[in-house]
Amino acid sequence: MFGWYREADRKTRRVFWTCGAGWVMDAADAQVYQYLIPLLITSLGITLTEAGSIASASYFAAAIGGWLGGWLCDRFGRARILQLTILWFSVFSFLSGFAETYEQMLVIRILHGIGFGAEWAVGAVLLGEMINPKHRGKALGAVQAGAPIGSGIAALLAGPVAASFDPDIGWRVAFWVGLAPALLIFFIRRGSDDSPIYKEARDRQKAENTSTGLMAIFTPKMLGITLLASLLSLGVQGAAYSVANYLTTFMTAERGLAQSVAGYLVLINSIGGFFGCIVNSYISDILGRRTVFRLFGLGFLIMASVYLFGPWGANLWFLVPIGMIYGFFQFGMYASFGPYFTELFPTEMRGSGQAFAYNSGRAGAALFILGVPLVATVMPLSAAMATLGIVGIACALLPTLLLPETAGRALQSASELDRGSAST
């Protein structure tokens, strides 16, 4: 089961653990805001719509920051930009704990989103270029399993940790903990941690006196891949955010649970999500990336409906096991993004392509986040969450019919991609 890890050299293992830990804390920093929304509404005197608009603005900023960060890692190296992005989002997560008004929180979370958007893509590219192609899904899926761990940490911070302080202080403490990931920059070695594939491509560009521009992913040969990958990202993240971002609010408003109990339930969902990512990562290398996206997308729709509309009220005997199965599919949907996007884009534009596709989807998903409270003005919150979740999965399924299957594919340079296109 862990043969791929035993095959990896010491540098690859260190990069794996550093990227994994970075993604854990990246996810925690992003999700803790969503889980703190009920407390922020009370403490800052904002509305649910305003709270949603802050989250949406942060994800739009993540799209811009992610695309720029991906392009920078193509130009200046994966490891160096990974250090910068981890430090950036850590500092602005910490500063979020000092906000006093809606406007202040909005600005800080926008700046936080710039670094948050680039970290995952840069780390996924760095590790994806080091791993044996037949194990790429397993390795990057294992890194993605850090997301439910981060969500669980966020749930603990927003639930029992925040509840142990005065309400006006507890949410601030939850944000202040976000400075911890900055320590990870000391485990990354700038130049020596870049992959041989990237170094060869960079040396080739220097010898040919060429460079890859920020808009290279929109050239005719790449435009279709870029747009379809972005739509896949939009669908998966839009569906997940439509439900996950309002779970604590749903639990307190419609299920009648306390904030701390709702936090524990989200933590339990995250446990299921960890196993969802691991299962996805293994079957993705066997069944292919597209098939796994379809299976987990449909599983998400079924279990989200059961979780939101089941007639068990606040009965934890039902909510706990069903929530774990729901979390299995919600988080598991994400596990093939890393390997699939790494394989779709050539080396010279892999950072910018992967970061743009993932984060443009995230930015578009911000419309789903903002849309839930708007739709909830005409129907129950649970129905609004489910409606937008269905729209999201529909968007995700279409690209799986049009994009190529890439499982096991050796990573290509731009010149190899050109030769492949010419031969066909």
Side-chain angles (χ1 to χ4, degrees), residues 355-380:
F356 178 84
Y358 187 80
N359 287 293
S360 63
R362 178 184 278 164
L367 298 176
F368 286 73
I369 297 173
L370 191 59
V372 169
L374 296 177
V375 175
T377 60
V378 296
M379 62 178 67

Side-chain angles (χ1 to χ4, degrees), residues 98-137:
F98 294 97
E100 296 289 347
T101 65
Y102 164 76
E103 291 77 14
Q104 290 177 5
M105 183 64 80
L106 177 65
V107 171
I108 292 171
R109 296 307 290 182
I110 287 174
L111 293 172
H112 171 271
I114 292 174
F116 164 69
E119 190 276 336
W120 173 84
V122 176
V125 169
L126 175 61
L127 182 61
E129 290 178 340
M130 294 181 172
I131 293 292
N132 186 317
K134 67 180 181 180
H135 297 312
R136 192 174 292 121

Side-chain angles (χ1 to χ4, degrees), residues 43-219:
S43 182
L44 297 181
I46 61 178
T47 66
L48 179 61
T49 300
E50 287 176 329
S53 70
I54 292 174
S56 298
S58 178
Y59 286 127
F60 277 114
I64 298 172
W67 183 19
L68 179 60
W71 176 71
L72 290 173
C73 90
D74 286 335
R75 289 291 302 273
F76 301 109
R78 319 312 198 191
R80 178 180 301 178
I81 302 304
L82 182 60
Q83 284 181 316
L84 176 62
T85 59
I86 290 174
L87 181 62
W88 185 286
F89 81 72
S90 299
V91 168
F92 283 102
S93 179
F94 175 72
L95 293 178
S96 299
F98 294 97
E100 296 289 347
T101 65
Y102 164 76
E103 291 77 14
Q104 290 177 5
M105 183 64 80
L106 177 65
V107 171
I108 292 171
R109 296 307 290 182
I110 287 174
L111 293 172
H112 171 271
I114 292 174
F116 164 69
E119 190 276 336
W120 173 84
V122 176
V125 169
L126 175 61
L127 182 61
E129 290 178 340
M130 294 181 172
I131 293 292
N132 186 317
K134 67 180 181 180
H135 297 312
R136 192 174 292 121
K138 302 178 188 68
L140 291 176
V143 169
Q144 191 69 49
I149 296 174
S151 179
I153 292 172
L156 287 174
L157 291 173
V161 171
S164 64
F165 294 88
D166 181 272
D168 289 332
I169 296 297
W171 65 268
R172 298 182 187 276
V173 173
F175 280 127
W176 291 336
V177 174
L179 188 61
L183 297 174
L184 292 173
I185 66 174
F186 298 108
F187 295 92
I188 305 168
R189 299 170 187 168
R190 290 187 182 182
S192 63
D193 276 350
D194 283 331
S195 69
I197 292 175
Y198 167 73
K199 292 177 181 178
E200 291 171 6
R202 182 185 58 189
D203 292 342
R204 185 167 54 249
Q205 286 188 313
K206 287 182 178 180
E208 297 172 354
N209 196 27
T210 60
S211 62
T212 302
L214 188 60
M215 303 300 291
I217 59 174
F218 298 109
T219 57

Side-chain angles (χ1 to χ4, degrees), residues 232-255:
L232 175 61
S233 175
L234 168 66
V236 170
Q237 296 189 82
Y241 292 163
S242 296
V243 179
N245 281 23
Y246 294 97
L247 271 182
T248 53
T249 306
F250 161 74
M251 291 292 181
T252 55
E254 294 194 18
R255 295 288 187 190

